[in-house]
Amino acid sequence: MKSPFVYTPGPTSVRENVRLARAMETTNPDLDLEFYDFYKETCEKFGEFLHTENEVRILSGEGILGLEAACASLTEKGDRVLVIDNGIFGEGFGDFVTMYGGEAVYYRSDRKREIPVEELKAFLEKDSDFKYATIVHCDTPSGVLNNLAEICPLLKSKGILTVVDSVAAMGGVELKVDEWNIDIALGGSQKCLSAPAGLTFLSISKDAFNAMKARKTPIASYYCNLLIWEHYYENKWFPYTMPISDIMGLREALDNIMKEGLDNVIARHKKIAEATRKAIESAGLKLYIEQGHSDTVTVFELPEEVHEEELKGYLMDKYNILIAGSFDYLKGKVIRIGHMGENANLEKLIYVLMALQKSLEYLGFNPKVDMCESFLEYMK
Ligand SMILES: *Cc1c(COP(=O)(O)O)cnc(C)c1O
C-alpha cells in the first residue's frame, strides 16, 4: 500500500514515535498488574488534557463507540433526550438515542452557524424536561464549532446532563470539561491526537455515573456499558482484554501534545486555521460556514467549474495528496482541508495549498491570488 500525504479531517498523519510505540514488546494486560497502573496513569493524563477531575476511560473502538456507549449507558426506555442538531453528526446522535429506547427531541438550527445560545435558552424556557442532551463540538462534515462554554452550563443549570462529541475538536481547540460542566466528553484517537484509528476515550462525571446507577433497567449492552468500568482499578479487572499496543501508541501521542504544551498546540491550530481561511477567501473561494469556524478543519464550497471527484483525483494522482469532500447533503458541494493535530503544520499546508492552487487552475478555476503567498502573509 502506498503512503499518501493524508490531509483529511481525520485520520491524520501519525508521528514516528507513535508508530514505534505501537511496535514495543507487550505484556498480558489482564494479568500484569503494571498495566493497570499504566492505563490509570494514561487516563489521568487525559484528565489533565481535558481539564477535568472526572474519571476517564479508554475503550477499544473508534470514536463512534464513544457516542454509542454514552447513549447506551444513559438511555432508558421512554427517556426524553435533547438532540442539538446543527450538523450531520449532531443529528446522528438521535439514532443512538432511539436505538436504546429513548425519545429524541431535536433542537435544530442553521447549519452554517454555531448554535445560537439565546435561542436555545428561549427553547429551554418552554421545555427542559430532558434526562440529557447531546451536542457536537466540531461537526466535521461542515466544520462548524459550537460554543460549549455557554451551552453546557446552560443545560446543566436546567438539570440536563450533557454528552459532548468532541472527536474532531479536542486537542485542536479549547475544551474545559469541569469549568464548562460537561458530564461526558468523548474523543477519538485518529483526529487531533494523531494516533491511528481504533480508540475512543470519555470523561465521565459523578452525575453521569449516578444517572447510570439510578436506572431501573440494566444497560442493554456489554461493550457499550460505561458502568462496568467504574471500579476496574480496585478490582484489577477489565471487561475485555485491552488493546495494549493501541494504548501505548495513544499514550505517546498524548505525551507529544503535553510536551509541546496544550496552550501552544491550540495556538498553533488557531494560527494555521486563520491563515488557511484567509488564503481560501482571498482566492475568491467561499467558506461553507458563515460563523463559528472550527480551527481543526477548513471547509470551502467547490466553484462551479470544478467537480469533487476530479479535484480529489488530480490531487492524488499528481501530488499524492488525500483530501476529503463531504457526505450527505454536502456531498459534491464542498472540499475539506483537515489541519488537525500533526497536520496543523506550516510546511505541510504550504504543500497542500500549492497543490490545491495548481489543481484548481488545471480544472478551470483561477484563484485570485497565490494561496501559498497569501497563507504565508497571514502566518507572519
Ligand atoms: C470523526 C468523527 C467521529 C468518528 O466517526 P467516523 O466517521 O467513524 O470517523 C465522530 N464524531 C465526529 C464529530 C467526528 O469528526
Side-chain angles (χ1 to χ4, degrees), residues 258-321:
M258 298 317 255
K259 264 181 220 153
E260 184 179 342
L262 191 49
D263 290 344
N264 297 334
V265 171
I266 286 166
R268 168 163 58 80
H269 280 80
K270 185 171 173 14
K271 191 147 191 214
I272 290 273
E274 279 173 359
T276 304
R277 290 195 289 265
K278 282 179 175 152
I280 291 287
E281 282 192 301
S282 40
L285 293 162
K286 191 165 177 287
L287 296 174
Y288 179 74
I289 290 300
E290 288 164 0
Q291 183 259 335
H293 299 96
S294 175
D295 288 338
T296 54
V297 56
T298 293
V299 184
F300 65 90
E301 296 180 6
L302 273 160
E304 247 172 49
E305 43 285 73
V306 181
H307 295 282
E308 177 193 332
E309 294 306 327
E310 278 175 349
L311 179 59
K312 285 194 320 196
Y314 194 77
L315 278 163
M316 177 53 96
D317 294 344
K318 195 96 181 161
Y319 301 101
N320 196 34
I321 292 175

Side-chain angles (χ1 to χ4, degrees), residues 41-298:
E41 208 181 87
T42 307
C43 290
E44 284 163 4
K45 281 189 180 238
F46 261 108
E48 244 177 84
F49 170 69
L50 298 172
H51 300 281
T52 183
E53 302 281 325
N54 289 341
E55 293 280 327
V56 173
R57 296 292 180 271
I58 304 163
L59 276 53
S60 176
E62 190 270 343
I64 292 293
L65 174 69
L67 278 77
E68 182 167 352
C71 294
S73 300
L74 288 174
T75 316
E76 278 192 276
K77 198 167 171 358
D79 281 342
R80 295 183 83 230
V81 178
L82 182 64
V83 177
I84 299 178
D85 159 18
N86 63 335
I88 293 169
F89 280 99
E91 182 175 35
F93 249 126
D95 296 340
F96 292 121
V97 170
T98 48
M99 203 178 286
Y100 288 94
E103 183 198 337
V105 177
Y106 292 86
Y107 173 83
R108 301 185 199 269
S109 72
D110 186 347
R111 288 190 164 188
K112 290 195 168 197
R113 297 175 161 267
E114 65 178 44
I115 296 289
V117 181
E118 287 308 314
E119 284 168 35
L120 177 63
K121 200 184 244 170
F123 172 91
L124 291 169
E125 293 302 327
K126 290 191 214 115
D127 186 3
S128 63
D129 179 23
F130 302 105
K131 181 172 190 179
Y132 69 96
T134 63
I135 184 162
V136 178
H137 198 181
C138 162
D139 211 308
T140 336
S142 69
V144 73
L145 186 80
N146 287 315
N147 183 350
L148 301 183
E150 289 192 32
I151 294 168
C152 293
L154 168 65
L155 290 162
K156 197 73 179 178
S157 74
K158 302 278 179 192
I160 303 168
L161 296 170
T162 52
V163 172
V164 169
D165 169 357
S166 185
V167 175
M170 61 166 67
V173 301
E174 207 177 45
L175 175 59
K176 301 200 159 157
V177 167
D178 287 354
E179 198 179 308
W180 300 352
N181 267 310
I182 300 172
D183 289 293
I184 296 186
L186 62 99
S189 50
Q190 80 275 31
K191 305 275 166 104
C192 301
L193 263 295
S194 286
L199 294 175
T200 185
F201 23 88
L202 310 94
S203 70
I204 309 159
S205 72
K206 285 208 176 64
D207 288 349
F209 272 126
N210 288 338
M212 293 174 213
K213 286 183 206 161
R215 293 173 61 113
K216 294 185 204 78
T217 53
I219 295 170
S221 173
Y222 186 78
Y223 241 76
C224 288
N225 184 337
L226 295 173
L227 201 52
I228 303 189
W229 296 74
E230 200 188 5
H231 301 294
Y232 80 95
Y233 186 74
E234 295 76 24
N235 300 339
K236 298 291 180 282
W237 177 84
F238 286 118
Y240 45 86
T241 303
M242 290 291 102
I244 179 167
S245 300
D246 290 352
I247 294 174
M248 285 162 78
L250 183 69
R251 169 65 176 271
E252 196 73 23
L254 183 59
D255 285 346
N256 283 342
I257 292 179
M258 298 317 255
K259 264 181 220 153
E260 184 179 342
L262 191 49
D263 290 344
N264 297 334
V265 171
I266 286 166
R268 168 163 58 80
H269 280 80
K270 185 171 173 14
K271 191 147 191 214
I272 290 273
E274 279 173 359
T276 304
R277 290 195 289 265
K278 282 179 175 152
I280 291 287
E281 282 192 301
S282 40
L285 293 162
K286 191 165 177 287
L287 296 174
Y288 179 74
I289 290 300
E290 288 164 0
Q291 183 259 335
H293 299 96
S294 175
D295 288 338
T296 54
V297 56
T298 293

